[in-house]
């Protein structure tokens, strides 16, 4: 991509920063698991991260309070939206197999500030997600003992009548989080073994629920006498979809673990696709049998599946379901506590977060401080907050992260890339060196040698008709098109979500705004399509770019707009706290403060080559300049 795109200088700084941090990473990262995770391991990590969060936490809440039996449709739409986001994660995870996930992906394409905000929101996602799952875990265990734990607590401590707070403090949920934190701090091998065990039990219980549930199904529960299939209408389905979106966020752990994958080019995309397909099928089938077994309006949101079997007289089946749910939710807790410290670690080693979180235990090679600190924070949230309040707060940060990752895919595709150059044995030189680290696989390329056939340039066949687009600075048309694409997606989402209700627009005005916003959205796509992209690489790439990530952006924004205003208010407060942390600490301790003067890098930018583990790094200068004494990305 040419100089006009905003990520040019930040990518160069990121390259140098990783070079400086290489000794730290080699001494602190857990080398015992590096390149040892197979596709099966990654798939089970994804399944474990997803299946417990939505199946046992969201199904009852969404069915009773948002969508009714149409929760089936909500899960299906959320799965489609998640698939678009998962494709973006799969491409990045295959091309950039490093710890950091959405934070790292945003960093290498958009820069430090946006990356910090995304990382900050991912922290919120894991904190709230772990607390919500712990509350649900406690509810299912309580159901096994006929709610004796809840009754005992309410009798001796009373009932709280405070908004957002739970009816009573859930010491059981807080305790399981503290116990899980201890296990995760023992090392990644312990976490992996526990995840495999709990995932196997969980999948067996899901098959049991589906089989027995269809046997006990009563189609009458979907009839008009019970409220119909969609008692809350289309708006309820969309609201349910926005909440159900959280059920699929677990595939993020696959991207987070891609650095340990044996073959990330193949294993990461396949694991994401397989795990998402399995979990989506499980959600749709289980939510169907749940609302067919008992009327949707009589569900217990805290332990819907187990309670449904108890009410049908199958207490033994309810016990099995409760045990399976506990195993499934244990995998989610382990997944959250496994991934969250790695995100914190990535931010801390970049200098954007407190350095204490960049320390790892010398024996277990895991960031014990991060695990314990955020484990305690999760426990406090689970102790005090209500499950429904937690669930409502889950999706917004995830949707924002998915939106930025999809945008990063478009930015990445229009960046200029040159094929890796591998000099033969007869032509060694001082500017060539073989590396295996991610920072060494980035290349510095001179923008002065841009040609008409490189990414970010107008397609030669369209130059006679769209030559006016070349009047902008190099890459300027692409930059404007991406900006207009995001702005028009926001406008189009607002019109679709609020045009017929909150705005009270007349029908002609509604359709006019819909037509205008859609036309601008389509025009920006056409402008992007008129420019050349990177050549196909040997790693996984999303088909139909920029259309596929653009649809993901549009759908994510629409789902965000369906969330309640209180969710947006809490989210805004969280962002303000994050900005205070960044400007109060991160911007002053960022490793970018050690960078070279900006003038030395203003005419270069970084691209990703084919993604192989060992490649050649070369510094390329314009022919009119004297070669620099050393390459910027070399040690």
């Amino acid at each position: 991509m040419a100089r006009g795109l905003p990520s040019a200088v930040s990518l160069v700084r990121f390259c140098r920063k990783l070079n400086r941090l290489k000794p730290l990473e080699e001494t602190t990262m857990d080398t015992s698991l590096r390149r040892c995770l197979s596709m099966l391991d990654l798939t089970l990590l994804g399944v474990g991260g997803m299946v417990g969060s939505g199946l046992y936490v969201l199904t009852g809440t969404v069915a009773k309070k948002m969508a009714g039996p149409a929760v089936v449709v909500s899960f299906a739409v959320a799965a489609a939206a998640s698939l678009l986001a998962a494709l973006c994660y799969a491409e990045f995870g295959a091309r950039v197999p490093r710890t950091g996930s959405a934070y790292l992906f945003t960093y290498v394409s958009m820069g430090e500030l946006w990356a910090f905000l995304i990382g900050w929101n991912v922290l919120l996602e894991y904190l709230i997600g772990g607390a919500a799952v712990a509350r649900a875990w406690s509810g299912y265990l309580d159901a096994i003992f006929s709610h004796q734990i809840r009754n005992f607590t309410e009798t001796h401590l009373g009932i709280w009548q405070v908004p957002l707070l739970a009816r009573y403090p859930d010491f059981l949920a807080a305790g399981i989080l503290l116990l899980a934190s201890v296990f995760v701090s023992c090392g990644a091998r312990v976490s992996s073994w526990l995840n495999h065990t709990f995932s196997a039990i969980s999948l067996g219980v899901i098959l049991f629920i589906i089989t027995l549930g269809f046997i006990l199904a009563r189609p009458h529960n979907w009839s008009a006498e019970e409220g119909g299939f969609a008692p809350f209408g289309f708006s309820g389905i969309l609201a349910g979809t926005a909440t159900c979106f959280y059920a699929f966020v677990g595939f993020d752990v696959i991207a987070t673990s891609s650095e340990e994958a044996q073959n990330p080019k193949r294993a990461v995309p396949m694991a994401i696709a397989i795990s998402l397909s399995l979990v989506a099928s499980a959600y749709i089938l289980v939510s169907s049998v749940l609302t067919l077994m008992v009327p949707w309006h009589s569900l217990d949101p805290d332990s819907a599946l187990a309670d449904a079997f108890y009410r049908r007289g199958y207490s033994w089946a309810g016990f099995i379901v409760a045990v399976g749910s506990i195993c499934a939710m244990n995998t989610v807790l382990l997944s959250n506590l496994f991934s969250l410290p790695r995100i914190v670690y990535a931010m801390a080693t970049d200098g954007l977060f407190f350095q204490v979180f960049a320390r790892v235990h010398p024996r277990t090679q895991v960031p014990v401080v991060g695990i314990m600190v955020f484990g305690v924070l999760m426990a406090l949230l689970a102790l005090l907050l209500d499950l429904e309040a937690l669930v409502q707060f889950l999706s917004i940060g995830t949707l924002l992260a998915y939106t930025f990752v999809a945008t990063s895919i478009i930015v990445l595709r229009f960046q200029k890339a040159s094929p890796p150059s591998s000099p033969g044995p007869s032509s060694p030189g001082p500017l060539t060196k073989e590396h295996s680290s991610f920072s060494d696989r980035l290349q510095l390329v001179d923008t002065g040698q841009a040609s008409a056939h490189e990414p970010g340039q107008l397609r030669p066949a369209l130059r006679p008709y769209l030559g006016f687009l070349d009047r902008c600075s190099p890459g300027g048309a692409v930059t404007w098109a991406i900006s207009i694409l995001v702005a028009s997606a926001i406008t189009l989402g607002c019109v679709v979500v609020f045009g017929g209700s909150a705005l009270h627009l007349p029908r002609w005005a509604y359709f006019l705004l819909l037509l205008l916003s859609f036309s601008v959205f389509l025009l920006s796509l056409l402008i992007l399509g008129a420019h050349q992209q990177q050549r196909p690489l040997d790693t996984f790439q999303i088909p139909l770019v920029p259309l596929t990530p653009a649809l993901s952006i549009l759908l994510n924004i629409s789902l965000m707009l369906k969330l309640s205003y209180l969710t947006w208010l809490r989210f805004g407060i969280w962002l303000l706290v994050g900005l205070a942390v960044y400007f109060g600490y991160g911007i002053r301790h960022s490793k970018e403060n050690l960078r070279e003067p900006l003038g030395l890098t203003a005419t270069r930018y970084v691209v990703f080559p084919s993604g192989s583990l060992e490649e050649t790094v070369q510094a390329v200068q314009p022919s009119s300049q004297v070669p620099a004494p050393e390459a910027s990305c070399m040690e």
Side-chain angles (χ1 to χ4, degrees):
M1 188 179 68
R3 285 176 288 184
L5 287 180
S7 61
V9 174
S10 64
L11 285 168
V12 177
R13 298 171 183 168
F14 189 69
C15 172
R16 293 198 177 94
K17 176 173 60 61
L18 283 178
N19 268 332
R20 288 191 295 270
L21 292 177
K22 184 178 177 183
L24 175 64
E25 291 183 344
E26 289 179 347
T27 57
T28 58
M29 289 296 290
D30 183 8
T31 57
S32 62
L33 283 180
R34 181 163 295 176
R35 301 300 176 203
C36 70
L37 295 181
S38 65
M39 186 173 68
L40 177 61
D41 296 327
L42 293 176
T43 302
L44 289 178
L45 277 174
V47 171
M50 287 185 282
V51 73
S53 57
L55 198 64
Y56 302 103
V57 178
L58 298 179
T59 308
T61 300
V62 175
K64 183 172 184 178
K65 300 184 178 182
M66 297 181 186
V71 62
V72 177
V73 181
S74 295
F75 272 121
V77 177
S82 299
L83 177 61
L84 296 175
L87 291 174
C88 299
Y89 272 79
E91 176 168 336
F92 263 122
R95 297 183 67 176
V96 192
R98 295 286 290 187
T99 296
S101 188
Y103 162 75
L104 177 66
F105 304 158
T106 306
Y107 204 135
V108 299
S109 60
M110 295 188 180
E112 181 180 273
L113 174 60
W114 294 113
F116 176 85
L117 292 179
I118 293 302
W120 185 252
N121 288 318
V122 171
L123 296 186
L124 176 67
E125 169 197 326
Y126 283 125
L127 278 173
I128 299 295
V133 172
R135 294 284 305 194
W137 182 95
S138 174
Y140 272 86
L141 186 63
D142 191 30
I144 295 179
F145 297 100
S146 302
H147 302 292
Q148 294 181 14
I149 300 174
R150 179 181 64 187
N151 295 335
F152 176 85
T153 307
E154 291 181 351
T155 300
H156 290 80
L157 296 180
I159 298 177
W160 294 346
Q161 300 292 340
V162 181
L164 302 181
L165 293 185
R167 285 170 51 88
Y168 60 92
D170 197 335
F171 295 101
L172 189 60
I176 186 59
L177 279 170
L178 295 177
L179 182 61
S181 300
V182 172
F183 278 112
V184 173
S185 65
C186 293
R189 290 190 183 276
V190 176
S191 303
S192 178
W193 180 82
L194 288 174
N195 178 75
H196 282 57
T197 303
F198 289 135
S199 295
I201 298 174
S202 160
L203 291 175
V205 172
I206 289 174
L207 290 176
F208 170 79
I209 293 173
I210 295 171
T211 303
L212 184 59
F214 274 116
I215 295 175
L216 300 178
R218 293 175 177 173
H220 176 74
N221 291 328
W222 284 9
S223 66
E225 297 179 7
E226 297 290 349
F229 179 74
F232 298 95
F234 180 71
S235 177
I237 293 175
L238 282 182
T241 300
T243 302
C244 289
F245 200 87
Y246 165 71
F248 298 95
V249 302
F251 68 79
D252 185 25
V253 71
I254 299 176
T256 304
S257 307
S258 61
E259 189 170 345
E260 288 88 19
Q262 294 174 350
N263 183 11
K265 293 182 183 180
R266 180 177 182 272
V268 171
M270 289 296 294
I272 288 178
I274 294 173
S275 60
L276 189 61
S277 301
L278 288 175
V279 172
S281 301
Y283 284 154
I284 293 172
L285 292 174
V286 171
S287 59
S288 299
V289 301
L290 174 64
T291 52
L292 285 171
M293 286 173 58
V294 296
W296 61 270
H297 50 76
S298 62
L299 292 172
D300 181 2
D302 292 334
S303 55
L305 286 170
D307 185 69
F309 283 103
Y310 279 122
R311 292 179 55 192
R312 292 298 303 272
Y314 289 79
S315 57
W316 59 271
F319 178 82
I320 293 176
V321 172
V323 171
S325 68
I326 290 174
C327 291
M329 286 183 281
N330 282 337
T331 64
V332 180
L333 295 179
L334 292 172
S335 174
N336 283 4
L337 289 169
F338 178 83
S339 301
L340 188 151
R342 294 190 172 212
I343 303 295
V344 177
Y345 172 82
M347 297 174 67
T349 52
D350 291 342
L352 301 182
F353 209 58
F354 306 108
Q355 288 299 301
V356 66
F357 296 111
R359 300 174 184 174
V360 298
H361 193 275
R363 184 175 62 85
T364 61
Q365 290 293 290
V366 294
V368 176
V369 175
I371 293 172
M372 299 311 299
V373 168
F374 285 94
V376 171
L377 288 177
M378 276 190 196
L380 289 175
L381 293 177
L383 177 71
L384 302 175
L385 296 186
D386 179 57
L387 176 60
E388 183 179 355
L390 292 170
V391 169
Q392 285 289 328
F393 200 40
L394 286 173
S395 296
I396 187 167
T398 304
L399 289 167
L400 183 65
Y402 289 176
T403 301
F404 270 84
V405 172
T407 306
S408 298
I409 286 291
I410 301 177
V411 172
L412 180 64
R413 285 297 185 90
F414 290 98
Q415 286 177 345
K416 175 179 152 186
S418 63
S421 174
S422 300
S426 61
S427 59
L431 293 180
T432 61
K433 182 179 180 180
E434 191 173 58
H435 299 273
S436 60
S437 70
F438 167 70
S439 59
D440 296 329
R441 286 168 38 233
L442 301 178
Q443 291 183 340
L444 290 177
V445 183
D446 186 353
T447 57
Q449 295 181 343
S451 70
H453 298 280
E454 290 174 345
Q457 302 296 318
L458 194 63
R459 296 180 184 274
L462 299 177
R463 196 173 299 277
Y465 310 100
L466 302 176
F468 62 91
L469 294 177
D470 281 342
R471 298 174 185 173
C472 303
S473 61
V478 173
T479 303
W480 279 102
I482 294 175
S483 303
I484 294 173
L485 174 71
V486 176
S488 61
I490 296 174
T491 305
L492 183 58
C494 290
V495 173
V496 172
V497 174
F498 303 118
S501 56
L503 299 180
H504 301 290
L505 295 174
R507 184 172 296 272
W508 66 268
Y510 172 77
F511 282 109
L512 179 61
L513 284 177
L514 189 65
L515 179 61
L516 289 175
S517 55
F518 178 76
S519 299
V520 175
F521 181 79
L522 183 60
L523 179 62
S524 62
L525 281 177
L526 293 176
I527 293 175
L528 288 173
H531 290 78
Q532 297 189 125
Q533 302 179 26
Q534 291 183 6
R535 301 185 189 92
L537 304 176
D538 60 349
T539 59
F540 172 79
Q541 289 186 299
I542 305 174
L544 301 177
V545 174
L547 178 61
T548 303
L551 291 177
S552 178
I553 294 171
L554 177 60
L555 191 51
N556 294 338
I557 290 174
S558 299
L559 293 178
M560 290 173 67
L561 294 173
K562 283 298 297 181
L563 297 172
S564 66
Y565 72 93
L566 286 177
T567 301
W568 278 94
L569 178 61
R570 301 167 198 155
F571 179 69
I573 295 174
W574 179 255
L575 279 183
L576 290 177
V577 174
L579 289 173
V581 172
Y582 176 75
F583 288 106
Y585 178 88
I587 197 171
R588 294 187 292 109
H589 295 82
S590 170
K591 295 299 190 297
E592 286 194 3
N593 292 333
L594 305 177
R595 66 183 182 270
E596 296 180 15
L598 185 62
L600 298 178
T601 62
T603 60
R604 304 179 197 167
Y605 57 92
V606 178
V607 296
F608 295 101
S610 61
S612 61
L613 296 180
E614 293 185 351
E615 293 181 355
T616 299
V617 177
Q618 287 185 311
V620 183
Q621 287 87 18
S623 57
S624 60
Q625 295 181 4
V626 178
E630 61 178 1
S632 299
C633 273
M634 298 183 61
E635 298 174 331

